[in-house]
């Protein structure tokens, strides 16, 4: 082992189990990143996590152009799960949707759910690409957990089958300027945050959400925020009031 590299800066998400002396074969893209882009070689250390087993220090055993193998040494951080909060958002333009997924992963969302509302601008998403953004965000922010990005779901269907124990923080732009509205809840309940598209919610959607017993309509301050800003602001508000901040 190369002792000058005991604090690796490179963090890699892998699918394989991690544990003492566990070997981890690399996929082609991972080998390319570690050995060609970052110029690592045998003896160098990287930090690995898989979303289940915490973070592990692993040593490069073999390094090829398209393949390689690492071996785990010791756990360097325990597994940490985010609070049970989902982010539901209506996809917008590609770059802004990417931003929302990246920020939601950094801000500790447990699950990221793109929803199609009446005024949603985009009818398709690339789930695999969005999931890759969530993985990169987790690698970068020191997290040991990667939120799942689901397929695009219709808001009305999602509400039809809403889990009976999950509260919903409905970010309602018509409440701009009112009080935030998250007081009076205890920590520990499962929640979801709902952010609308650039066109906001329809009257029918608003009426349904206002009438839902598990939903709480909240304001995100006196200004109307763009959907990507609103997603970060809402997660900040929720994490401060009810999450792990
Ligand atoms: N076109 C709408 C604004 C949509 S903003 C209008 O002009 O009224 C996009 C989403 O961000 C909204 O649907 C809401 O979920 C959230 N949002 C933005 N600003 C907000 C605020 N001040 N309070 C609550 N939600 C807000």
């Amino acid at each position: 082992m190369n002792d000058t590299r005991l604090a690796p800066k490179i963090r890699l998400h892998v699918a394989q189990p991690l544990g003492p002396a566990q070997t981890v074969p690399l996929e082609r893209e991972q080998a390319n990143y570690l050995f060609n882009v970052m110029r690592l070689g045998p003896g160098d250390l990287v930090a690995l996590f898989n979303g289940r087993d915490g973070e592990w220090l692993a040593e490069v055993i073999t390094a090829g152009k398209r393949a390689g193998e690492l071996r785990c040494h010791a756990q360097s951080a325990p597994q940490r799960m985010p609070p049970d909060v989902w982010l539901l958002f209506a996809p917008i333009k590609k770059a802004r949707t990417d931003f929302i997924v990246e920020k939601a992963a950094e801000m500790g969302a447990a699950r990221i759910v793109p929803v199609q509302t009446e005024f949603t601008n985009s009818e398709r998403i690339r789930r695999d690409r969005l999931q890759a953004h969530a993985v990169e965000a987790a690698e970068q922010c020191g997290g040991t957990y990667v939120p799942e990005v689901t397929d695009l779901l219709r808001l009305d269907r999602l509400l039809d089958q809403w889990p009976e124990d999950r509260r919903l923080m409905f970010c309602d732009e018509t409440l701009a300027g009112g009080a935030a509205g998250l007081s009076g809840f205890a920590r520990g309940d499962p929640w979801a945050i709902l952010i609308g598209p650039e066109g906001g919610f329809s009257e029918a959607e608003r009426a349904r959400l206002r009438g839902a017993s598990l939903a709480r309509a909240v304001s995100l301050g006196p200004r109307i925020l763009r959907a990507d800003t609103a997603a970060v602001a809402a997660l900040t508000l929720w994490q401060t009031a009810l999450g792990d901040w």
Side-chain angles (χ1 to χ4, degrees):
M1 197 195 313
N2 182 343
D3 284 336
T4 60
R5 305 224 179 159
L6 273 175
K9 294 218 172 55
I10 299 176
R11 303 184 79 244
L12 207 60
H13 177 266
V14 296
Q16 292 88 349
L18 302 173
Q22 176 79 43
T23 54
V24 179
L26 293 172
E27 287 167 15
R28 187 189 171 117
E29 264 182 40
Q30 294 170 326
N32 179 54
Y33 173 67
L34 290 186
F35 309 136
N36 301 332
V37 180
M38 301 309 291
R39 326 264 344 140
L40 298 191
D44 285 331
L45 293 177
V46 294
L48 302 180
F49 65 104
N50 61 8
R52 306 181 298 277
D53 300 323
E55 183 193 86
W56 285 76
L57 275 188
E59 181 185 344
V60 177
I61 303 298
T62 56
K65 281 212 178 323
R66 290 177 203 86
E69 195 172 58
L70 307 177
R71 188 167 57 230
C72 292
H73 281 278
Q75 197 184 47
S76 41
Q79 180 61 35
R80 275 195 64 192
M81 303 304 276
D84 188 1
V85 61
W86 300 350
L87 178 71
L88 278 49
F89 75 100
I92 41 180
K93 286 199 200 96
K94 184 172 161 293
R96 289 179 184 274
T97 298
D98 292 351
F99 176 94
I100 291 178
V101 169
E102 179 183 294
K103 299 310 160 207
E106 288 176 41
M107 299 284 296
R111 198 165 197 233
I112 300 173
V113 186
V115 292
Q116 193 176 343
T117 65
E118 281 188 49
F119 300 154
T120 297
N121 331 40
S122 146
E123 261 135 54
R124 282 192 312 144
I125 55 153
R126 285 276 313 277
R127 202 202 69 78
D128 55 341
R129 214 172 46 82
L130 294 180
Q131 186 68 68
H133 279 294
V135 167
E136 257 175 53
E139 286 174 343
Q140 178 280 128
C141 76
T144 48
Y145 176 83
V146 180
E148 178 202 9
V149 182
T150 70
D151 278 323
L152 184 66
L153 302 171
R154 279 178 50 165
L155 179 63
D156 53 354
R157 295 207 184 127
L158 201 58
L159 293 175
D160 287 344
Q161 309 157 11
W162 192 254
E164 57 188 28
D165 61 343
R166 187 169 296 273
R167 296 185 184 281
L168 180 62
M169 171 177 163
F170 163 42
C171 298
D172 182 351
E173 63 273 6
T174 65
L175 295 182
L182 271 189
S183 53
F185 294 102
R187 286 176 200 253
D189 282 347
W191 275 84
I193 295 169
L194 174 62
I195 303 290
E198 294 300 349
F201 292 99
S202 73
E203 279 314 314
E205 285 169 337
R206 182 167 294 108
R208 179 165 188 192
L209 287 160
R210 288 271 183 93
S213 61
L214 286 162
R216 169 67 64 99
V218 304
S219 158
L220 298 176
R223 289 161 290 270
I224 302 284
L225 308 175
R226 297 189 74 137
D228 46 352
T229 318
V232 178
L235 277 158
T236 307
L237 190 64
W238 189 90
Q239 288 286 24
T240 309
L242 298 170
D244 63 3
W245 284 25

